[in-house]
Each structure stands twice: as C-alpha cells, then as structure tokens.
mmCIF file of all heavy atoms in Angstrom:
data_model
loop_
_atom_site.group_PDB
_atom_site.id
_atom_site.type_symbol
_atom_site.label_atom_id
_atom_site.label_comp_id
_atom_site.label_asym_id
_atom_site.label_seq_id
_atom_site.Cartn_x
_atom_site.Cartn_y
_atom_site.Cartn_z
ATOM 1 N N GLY A 15 101.414 115.444 97.280
ATOM 2 C CA GLY A 15 101.905 116.144 98.500
ATOM 3 C C GLY A 15 103.342 116.430 98.560
ATOM 4 O O GLY A 15 104.018 116.301 97.529
ATOM 5 N N LYS A 16 103.858 116.656 99.739
ATOM 6 C CA LYS A 16 105.319 116.908 100.006
ATOM 7 C C LYS A 16 105.746 116.175 101.167
ATOM 8 O O LYS A 16 105.110 115.865 102.082
ATOM 9 C CB LYS A 16 105.447 118.423 100.322
ATOM 10 C CG LYS A 16 105.005 119.459 99.216
ATOM 11 C CD LYS A 16 105.237 120.920 99.755
ATOM 12 C CE LYS A 16 104.905 121.875 98.638
ATOM 13 N NZ LYS A 16 105.916 121.883 97.743
ATOM 14 N N ILE A 17 107.117 115.986 101.066
ATOM 15 C CA ILE A 17 107.872 115.386 102.253
ATOM 16 C C ILE A 17 108.809 116.402 102.754
ATOM 17 O O ILE A 17 109.467 115.947 103.740
ATOM 18 C CB ILE A 17 108.445 113.970 101.966
ATOM 19 C CG1 ILE A 17 109.622 114.244 100.817
ATOM 20 C CG2 ILE A 17 107.484 112.950 101.345
ATOM 21 C CD1 ILE A 17 110.536 112.952 100.719
ATOM 22 N N ALA A 18 109.021 117.495 102.063
ATOM 23 C CA ALA A 18 109.909 118.558 102.437
ATOM 24 C C ALA A 18 109.458 119.786 101.645
ATOM 25 O O ALA A 18 108.812 119.614 100.693
ATOM 26 C CB ALA A 18 111.382 118.207 102.250
ATOM 27 N N PRO A 19 109.720 120.937 102.104
ATOM 28 C CA PRO A 19 109.307 122.160 101.308
ATOM 29 C C PRO A 19 109.765 122.061 99.824
ATOM 30 O O PRO A 19 109.073 122.830 99.030
ATOM 31 C CB PRO A 19 109.985 123.293 102.102
ATOM 32 C CG PRO A 19 110.184 122.742 103.352
ATOM 33 C CD PRO A 19 110.509 121.321 103.307
ATOM 34 N N VAL A 20 110.791 121.403 99.535
ATOM 35 C CA VAL A 20 111.298 121.311 98.157
ATOM 36 C C VAL A 20 111.144 120.034 97.399
ATOM 37 O O VAL A 20 111.709 119.868 96.343
ATOM 38 C CB VAL A 20 112.867 121.865 98.025
ATOM 39 C CG1 VAL A 20 112.879 123.287 98.497
ATOM 40 C CG2 VAL A 20 113.760 120.936 98.845
ATOM 41 N N ILE A 21 110.452 119.069 98.132
ATOM 42 C CA ILE A 21 110.292 117.815 97.505
ATOM 43 C C ILE A 21 108.823 117.477 97.466
ATOM 44 O O ILE A 21 108.040 117.422 98.510
ATOM 45 C CB ILE A 21 111.008 116.708 98.339
ATOM 46 C CG1 ILE A 21 112.485 117.016 98.472
ATOM 47 C CG2 ILE A 21 110.792 115.376 97.828
ATOM 48 C CD1 ILE A 21 113.311 116.145 99.262
ATOM 49 N N ASP A 22 108.229 117.160 96.206
ATOM 50 C CA ASP A 22 106.808 116.829 96.217
ATOM 51 C C ASP A 22 106.715 115.627 95.302
ATOM 52 O O ASP A 22 107.643 115.151 94.608
ATOM 53 C CB ASP A 22 105.929 117.943 95.693
ATOM 54 C CG ASP A 22 106.396 118.481 94.231
ATOM 55 O OD1 ASP A 22 107.668 118.240 93.920
ATOM 56 O OD2 ASP A 22 105.672 119.307 93.674
ATOM 57 N N TYR A 23 105.489 115.043 95.243
ATOM 58 C CA TYR A 23 105.209 113.824 94.512
ATOM 59 C C TYR A 23 103.787 113.844 93.963
ATOM 60 O O TYR A 23 102.887 114.749 94.321
ATOM 61 C CB TYR A 23 105.397 112.643 95.345
ATOM 62 C CG TYR A 23 104.507 112.619 96.605
ATOM 63 C CD1 TYR A 23 103.243 112.044 96.565
ATOM 64 C CD2 TYR A 23 104.944 113.113 97.887
ATOM 65 C CE1 TYR A 23 102.446 112.022 97.663
ATOM 66 C CE2 TYR A 23 104.199 113.139 98.900
ATOM 67 C CZ TYR A 23 102.833 112.508 98.844
ATOM 68 O OH TYR A 23 102.114 112.512 99.947
ATOM 69 N N PHE A 24 103.442 112.969 92.919
ATOM 70 C CA PHE A 24 102.114 112.973 92.331
ATOM 71 C C PHE A 24 101.969 111.475 91.843
ATOM 72 O O PHE A 24 102.794 110.939 91.200
ATOM 73 C CB PHE A 24 102.153 113.967 91.197
ATOM 74 C CG PHE A 24 100.715 113.957 90.569
ATOM 75 C CD1 PHE A 24 99.772 114.697 91.044
ATOM 76 C CD2 PHE A 24 100.604 113.246 89.433
ATOM 77 C CE1 PHE A 24 98.434 114.841 90.435
ATOM 78 C CE2 PHE A 24 99.356 113.302 88.669
ATOM 79 C CZ PHE A 24 98.225 114.133 89.255
ATOM 80 N N ILE A 25 100.817 110.940 92.173
ATOM 81 C CA ILE A 25 100.363 109.653 91.658
ATOM 82 C C ILE A 25 98.861 109.833 91.103
ATOM 83 O O ILE A 25 98.111 110.253 91.778
ATOM 84 C CB ILE A 25 100.414 108.580 92.785
ATOM 85 C CG1 ILE A 25 101.808 108.397 93.335
ATOM 86 C CG2 ILE A 25 99.902 107.195 92.298
ATOM 87 C CD1 ILE A 25 101.984 107.635 94.547
ATOM 88 N N GLN A 26 98.760 109.192 89.916
ATOM 89 C CA GLN A 26 97.448 109.235 89.298
ATOM 90 C C GLN A 26 97.094 107.902 88.659
ATOM 91 O O GLN A 26 97.824 107.411 87.804
ATOM 92 C CB GLN A 26 97.370 110.260 88.329
ATOM 93 C CG GLN A 26 95.994 110.423 87.579
ATOM 94 C CD GLN A 26 95.793 111.624 86.665
ATOM 95 O OE1 GLN A 26 94.980 112.354 86.729
ATOM 96 N NE2 GLN A 26 96.923 111.849 85.762
ATOM 97 N N THR A 27 95.919 107.383 89.035
ATOM 98 C CA THR A 27 95.395 106.152 88.468
ATOM 99 C C THR A 27 93.975 106.306 87.885
ATOM 100 O O THR A 27 93.212 106.963 88.586
ATOM 101 C CB THR A 27 95.436 104.974 89.450
ATOM 102 O OG1 THR A 27 96.872 104.856 89.861
ATOM 103 C CG2 THR A 27 94.957 103.685 88.833
ATOM 104 N N ASP A 28 93.678 105.841 86.729
ATOM 105 C CA ASP A 28 92.329 105.700 86.261
ATOM 106 C C ASP A 28 91.802 104.276 86.433
ATOM 107 O O ASP A 28 92.279 103.358 85.783
ATOM 108 C CB ASP A 28 92.432 106.066 84.680
ATOM 109 C CG ASP A 28 90.979 106.669 84.306
ATOM 110 O OD1 ASP A 28 89.992 106.163 85.000
ATOM 111 O OD2 ASP A 28 90.952 107.495 83.372
ATOM 112 N N PHE A 29 90.768 104.209 87.389
ATOM 113 C CA PHE A 29 90.357 102.995 87.729
ATOM 114 C C PHE A 29 89.201 102.524 86.709
ATOM 115 O O PHE A 29 88.713 101.377 86.801
ATOM 116 C CB PHE A 29 89.693 103.087 89.205
ATOM 117 C CG PHE A 29 90.843 103.165 90.275
ATOM 118 C CD1 PHE A 29 91.233 104.363 90.726
ATOM 119 C CD2 PHE A 29 91.474 102.023 90.733
ATOM 120 C CE1 PHE A 29 92.139 104.505 91.640
ATOM 121 C CE2 PHE A 29 92.257 102.061 91.693
ATOM 122 C CZ PHE A 29 92.684 103.228 92.085
ATOM 123 N N CYS A 30 88.692 103.305 85.848
ATOM 124 C CA CYS A 30 87.832 102.883 84.799
ATOM 125 C C CYS A 30 87.882 103.902 83.641
ATOM 126 O O CYS A 30 87.246 104.817 83.568
ATOM 127 C CB CYS A 30 86.411 102.896 85.419
ATOM 128 S SG CYS A 30 85.266 101.979 84.204
ATOM 129 N N ASP A 31 88.825 103.561 82.691
ATOM 130 C CA ASP A 31 88.882 104.185 81.438
ATOM 131 C C ASP A 31 88.201 103.458 80.473
ATOM 132 O O ASP A 31 88.880 102.487 79.819
ATOM 133 C CB ASP A 31 90.311 104.537 81.053
ATOM 134 C CG ASP A 31 90.451 105.212 79.762
ATOM 135 O OD1 ASP A 31 89.396 105.405 79.017
ATOM 136 O OD2 ASP A 31 91.551 105.707 79.400
ATOM 137 N N ARG A 32 86.863 103.424 80.234
ATOM 138 C CA ARG A 32 86.084 102.705 79.389
ATOM 139 C C ARG A 32 86.210 101.207 79.701
ATOM 140 O O ARG A 32 86.307 100.376 78.905
ATOM 141 C CB ARG A 32 86.342 102.915 77.923
ATOM 142 C CG ARG A 32 85.959 104.313 77.417
ATOM 143 C CD ARG A 32 86.687 104.673 76.191
ATOM 144 N NE ARG A 32 88.043 104.912 76.275
ATOM 145 C CZ ARG A 32 88.823 105.267 75.388
ATOM 146 N NH1 ARG A 32 88.310 105.547 74.198
ATOM 147 N NH2 ARG A 32 90.116 105.541 75.498
ATOM 148 N N GLY A 33 86.293 100.854 81.073
ATOM 149 C CA GLY A 33 86.392 99.506 81.503
ATOM 150 C C GLY A 33 87.871 99.087 81.879
ATOM 151 O O GLY A 33 87.897 97.931 82.379
ATOM 152 N N SER A 34 88.773 99.799 81.676
ATOM 153 C CA SER A 34 90.167 99.466 81.850
ATOM 154 C C SER A 34 90.727 100.242 83.015
ATOM 155 O O SER A 34 90.471 101.368 83.200
ATOM 156 C CB SER A 34 91.093 99.632 80.545
ATOM 157 O OG SER A 34 90.501 98.872 79.519
ATOM 158 N N ILE A 35 91.755 99.628 83.716
ATOM 159 C CA ILE A 35 92.524 100.202 84.792
ATOM 160 C C ILE A 35 93.911 100.662 84.278
ATOM 161 O O ILE A 35 94.514 99.761 83.639
ATOM 162 C CB ILE A 35 92.541 99.384 85.990
ATOM 163 C CG1 ILE A 35 91.238 99.024 86.679
ATOM 164 C CG2 ILE A 35 93.499 100.042 87.092
ATOM 165 C CD1 ILE A 35 91.294 97.981 87.797
ATOM 166 N N LYS A 36 94.284 101.889 84.493
ATOM 167 C CA LYS A 36 95.485 102.334 83.912
ATOM 168 C C LYS A 36 96.241 103.199 84.918
ATOM 169 O O LYS A 36 95.652 104.111 85.524
ATOM 170 C CB LYS A 36 95.300 103.266 82.626
ATOM 171 C CG LYS A 36 94.621 102.547 81.485
ATOM 172 C CD LYS A 36 94.458 103.453 80.192
ATOM 173 C CE LYS A 36 93.773 102.704 79.181
ATOM 174 N NZ LYS A 36 93.475 103.676 78.005
ATOM 175 N N ILE A 37 97.495 102.843 85.231
ATOM 176 C CA ILE A 37 98.378 103.739 86.015
ATOM 177 C C ILE A 37 98.966 104.738 85.152
ATOM 178 O O ILE A 37 99.734 104.438 84.232
ATOM 179 C CB ILE A 37 99.431 102.866 86.744
ATOM 180 C CG1 ILE A 37 98.797 101.761 87.684
ATOM 181 C CG2 ILE A 37 100.345 103.854 87.563
ATOM 182 C CD1 ILE A 37 99.868 100.844 88.205
ATOM 183 N N LEU A 38 98.663 106.024 85.345
ATOM 184 C CA LEU A 38 98.918 107.093 84.400
ATOM 185 C C LEU A 38 100.232 107.840 84.819
ATOM 186 O O LEU A 38 101.212 107.955 83.992
ATOM 187 C CB LEU A 38 97.721 108.049 84.243
ATOM 188 C CG LEU A 38 96.533 107.509 83.699
ATOM 189 C CD1 LEU A 38 95.469 108.529 83.754
ATOM 190 C CD2 LEU A 38 96.685 106.855 82.285
ATOM 191 N N ASP A 39 100.283 108.360 85.996
ATOM 192 C CA ASP A 39 101.399 109.209 86.468
ATOM 193 C C ASP A 39 101.968 108.766 87.730
ATOM 194 O O ASP A 39 101.175 108.430 88.710
ATOM 195 C CB ASP A 39 101.005 110.656 86.577
ATOM 196 C CG ASP A 39 100.452 111.259 85.220
ATOM 197 O OD1 ASP A 39 101.209 111.599 84.402
ATOM 198 O OD2 ASP A 39 99.218 111.290 85.079
ATOM 199 N N VAL A 40 103.282 108.701 87.842
ATOM 200 C CA VAL A 40 103.977 108.351 89.114
ATOM 201 C C VAL A 40 105.322 109.139 88.992
ATOM 202 O O VAL A 40 106.103 108.684 88.370
ATOM 203 C CB VAL A 40 104.250 106.899 89.257
ATOM 204 C CG1 VAL A 40 104.805 106.603 90.647
ATOM 205 C CG2 VAL A 40 102.965 106.034 89.160
#
C-alpha cells in the first residue's frame, strides 16, 4: 500500500514453504 503518493511499502510472508514459515520481503 501507500502512506503518501510517493511512499509505498510491501510485506511478504510464506506461511508454509514445505512446512516452514519464512519472512521473505519487508
């Protein structure tokens, strides 16, 4: 999402990568 027209963010978590939880992108 965005908090301003020129500021955005991204968060991605894999809750089951062959049984493992991994925080991928922040």
Side-chain angles (χ1 to χ4, degrees):
K16 295 176 176 288
I17 66 167
V20 296
I21 302 175
D22 58 343
Y23 59 88
F24 182 82
I25 301 172
Q26 179 173 226
T27 300
D28 203 326
F29 289 94
C30 189
D31 180 350
R32 292 164 292 186
S34 300
I35 299 176
K36 297 178 180 179
I37 299 175
L38 300 174
D39 299 280
V40 183

